[in-house]
Each structure stands twice: as structure tokens, then as C-alpha cells.
Amino acid sequence: MYNLVYSILNIFEFIIIYKLIHLFINKNAKNRKIEIISFILLYILNTLNYIFINIPFLTLAFNVLGIFLIMYNYNISIILKYSTTIFISCIISLPEILLYKFYNTNIESTFEKNTHTSIYIIIVDQIILFLIYILIKFINYFKNKKIALNLYIILICTLCILFNILIVFEEKSSCINMTFSVIVVLCIVSTSIYAYVKLIE
């Protein structure tokens, strides 16, 4: 039952990824059919990976690689491919970061098989992802790009601060957790700002 619900809701996540890509790069694919096939293929592989392997770190790495390969459907620079891939990967990871306390795990557990099978967590995860997408879409409606950029930076920095708070106040917090959180925050902020500036240009 859990795997079935995940497979269905995972379709929604890939629709969000599709919309985010088009929202940020604002370009049509070189070949529409290949674009759709690549999304469907990534969805199938992602779902199978989650059902049979389900190691958080490997899932993240798989998604990053998959999104990066999908970016080759669009005629954009390699720098924009990299930055947009990392940016979208950060966005789809944010719901899990926000639900960090519910999982009650530490950073080291991301290299172990995930044993959490709560349908409630999956639904909340998708709702948070949708709300983040709506917020980003709202920011992009601003005619004044400087205002949009400022709002976007505030959004990213706020989410990063929240992530740090969850890490710092985690009972199992260690030096590895702290170091990891700092690296993640720096990567998210720097990459996101750079990607958005490039998109404005």
C-alpha cells in the first residue's frame, strides 16, 4: 500500500520538477517527445530506486544526475545546466529537511536504508513542495527583477537558517552534522543566488 501511494504521489513531484525547469530556464525543449520520454524514464527509475534500494544519499545523487541529464533537452549553457540542476535538487530536498524532526534521524543515517513508511509524511512532503513551488512562481511574477531577486534571496536564506536550527538543536548533533550543515547552507545560498542572477540576465 505504501509503495503504491508513493508511486502515485511521485508523479506529482515530477510534474513540479517539470514546471520548475520551465519556470527557471523559460525555454522550450529541442525535442518535445524526447523531453517527455526522459521525464517518464527518470520517474520510473526513481520510483524503482525508492522501492528496492531507498538509501537517501543514493536517491539524492540519482535525482541530481537525472535532472542534470534532462537539462540537455534544452539549448542552454553548461553553467546554467549545473546551477539550475543544483537549485532544483535543493528545492525538492527542502520538504525532507523541513520534516527532519519527524524522521528523528541524524546525517549519518542518510547512508543507510530508509525504514520510514509513513503515508502521512509523504503527503506532507508533497504539500510543502507544492507550497514552495507556488511561492517561487509568485516571486517570478514581479516585473521588477531586483525585487524578485531580493525576495528570492530572503526565501533561500530563511530556509537555510531553519535547516541550521534543526541541525544544531538535534540531540544527536555531532561535528560531522555541523560541518555538513555549514557546507549545505553555503552551497544552497551561493548556487541559488548565482543561478537566479543568471536567469535574470
Side-chain angles (χ1 to χ4, degrees):
M1 180 64 181
Y2 173 80
N3 289 336
L4 177 62
V5 172
Y6 175 83
S7 300
I8 294 172
L9 291 178
N10 202 30
I11 296 174
F12 175 77
E13 181 170 319
F14 274 83
I15 291 173
I16 294 292
I17 293 174
Y18 173 83
K19 288 183 175 294
L20 283 171
I21 289 176
H22 281 267
L23 183 63
F24 293 135
I25 65 175
N26 198 26
K27 284 188 177 182
N28 294 323
K30 291 179 284 187
N31 188 310
R32 176 71 172 171
K33 289 183 179 179
I34 294 178
E35 178 193 30
I36 298 300
I37 291 172
S38 61
F39 269 98
I40 293 173
L41 184 61
L42 181 60
Y43 161 76
I44 293 172
L45 293 175
N46 176 274
T47 304
L48 291 175
N49 170 69
Y50 186 88
I51 293 173
F52 296 106
I53 301 176
N54 197 13
I55 297 176
F57 179 79
L58 291 179
T59 301
L60 176 61
F62 180 82
N63 285 338
V64 172
L65 177 61
I67 293 171
F68 180 70
L69 293 175
I70 282 178
M71 298 306 294
Y72 278 90
N73 285 309
Y74 312 96
N75 189 23
I76 56 177
S77 67
I78 188 66
I79 294 176
L80 195 54
K81 284 186 177 76
Y82 278 119
S83 55
T84 307
T85 298
I86 295 174
F87 176 64
I88 292 176
S89 298
C90 289
I91 290 176
I92 62 176
S93 299
L94 283 175
E96 294 185 14
I97 294 173
L98 295 173
L99 293 169
Y100 190 83
K101 283 293 182 181
F102 287 93
Y103 289 104
N104 194 27
T105 57
N106 53 23
I107 299 301
E108 289 86 347
S109 65
T110 58
F111 297 93
E112 302 170 357
K113 186 175 178 63
N114 183 18
T115 57
H116 302 288
T117 57
S118 172
I119 294 177
Y120 169 76
I121 292 294
I122 297 178
I123 295 173
V124 173
D125 184 280
Q126 297 299 321
I127 291 173
I128 294 173
L129 180 62
F130 177 72
L131 291 175
I132 293 173
Y133 166 73
I134 293 298
L135 183 56
I136 292 174
K137 190 173 182 180
F138 169 75
I139 291 174
N140 277 271
Y141 275 134
F142 280 87
K143 301 287 184 181
N144 187 330
K145 293 301 181 182
K146 288 184 179 179
I147 295 176
L149 179 59
N150 290 333
L151 288 172
Y152 182 74
I153 292 173
I154 291 171
L155 169 65
I156 292 297
C157 291
T158 301
L159 292 171
C160 288
I161 290 170
L162 177 60
F163 174 77
N164 258 332
I165 291 173
L166 292 174
I167 291 292
V168 170
F169 290 98
E170 174 63 40
E171 292 178 0
K172 300 176 183 178
S173 182
S174 64
C175 183
I176 295 176
N177 288 14
M178 295 294 291
T179 304
F180 183 80
S181 69
V182 171
I183 293 173
V184 168
V185 167
L186 288 175
C187 289
I188 291 175
V189 173
S190 58
T191 303
S192 300
I193 293 174
Y194 176 78
Y196 203 76
V197 168
K198 280 293 183 182
L199 291 173
I200 288 176
E201 291 177 354

